[in-house]
Amino acid sequence: MKKKKVPSMVKDQQLVKKRREQMIKAAVTLFKEKGFHRTTTREVAKESGFSIGTLYEYIGSKEDILYLVCDAIYDEVSEKLKKRLTHDAEGIESLKSAIAALFKVIDDLQDEVLVMYQESKSLPKEALAYVLQKEMDMTEMIEQVIQECASQGHLQLTDQEIKLAAHNILVQSHMWTFRRWAIQKNYTLDEYIQLQTKLILEGLLKKPM
């Protein structure tokens, strides 16, 4: 899936990167408070610290801002997850470690992840397809860990079950964010990780029906 090219009248790529990072940070703040549709480009420009005219030197439309936000969030989640995933553990311990790593990354970026989930549906079709592919790439990182456990004989799972398990784990990590209004009242992050890991592994380790 090809990355969307966001138009810019500015040729200095370092400056483009800097200004867009300011826009992304401002947009996350505003989208979280007001949502994408109720936030104006003028408000994003003001929150970013420059004029509306300057903002349009670095993007072509309001949807470009949302695309940049979603793209940046997925990149940051993926990079943080790669850094946290350790290859020191083996077998089931490697899966436990991967689950904990993913949950902690989502906790670090919960505002960003919440905005992405709430607002990515407003992306144009092609841009949405690209963003969703990045989520699939992240799911495959977890899938590989489960596959290794299965290959070593620690789990008795079909390929279909492995894929679904990876999706389940990703959704459980995201639940810490999109249901935080309820979940975080009752559990600390460590408690949530411990209980979810227990439930996930009990489901994966039980004998086939």
Side-chain angles (χ1 to χ4, degrees), residues 24-25 28-29 32 69-70 72-74 76-77 105-119 177 180:
I24 290 165
K25 184 177 179 181
V28 167
T29 299
K32 184 181 70 170
V69 166
C70 292
I73 291 169
Y74 271 118
E76 190 168 2
V77 171
V105 168
I106 298 302
D107 179 65
D108 288 344
L109 298 167
Q110 54 185 286
D111 285 345
E112 288 85 349
V113 171
L114 186 62
V115 165
M116 182 179 65
Y117 259 85
Q118 289 175 333
E119 307 299 344
T177 293
R180 63 185 180 183

Side-chain angles (χ1 to χ4, degrees), residues 30-90:
L30 291 167
F31 294 169
K32 184 181 70 170
E33 292 173 357
K34 303 178 63 175
F36 171 71
H37 291 292
R38 293 197 303 274
T39 299
T40 66
T41 50
R42 191 172 297 279
E43 288 172 323
V44 174
K46 182 179 179 182
E47 185 74 19
S48 303
F50 40 76
S51 69
I52 185 70
T54 298
L55 182 139
Y56 276 109
E57 291 178 2
Y58 297 93
I59 58 159
S61 67
K62 183 180 169 184
E63 284 73 21
D64 285 342
I65 300 173
L66 179 58
Y67 169 78
L68 290 171
V69 166
C70 292
D71 191 38
I73 291 169
Y74 271 118
D75 280 348
E76 190 168 2
V77 171
S78 294
E79 285 305 311
K80 283 180 176 286
L81 181 57
K82 286 175 186 175
K83 288 179 182 178
R84 283 184 181 268
L85 284 175
T86 175
H87 297 287
D88 297 335
E90 295 182 357

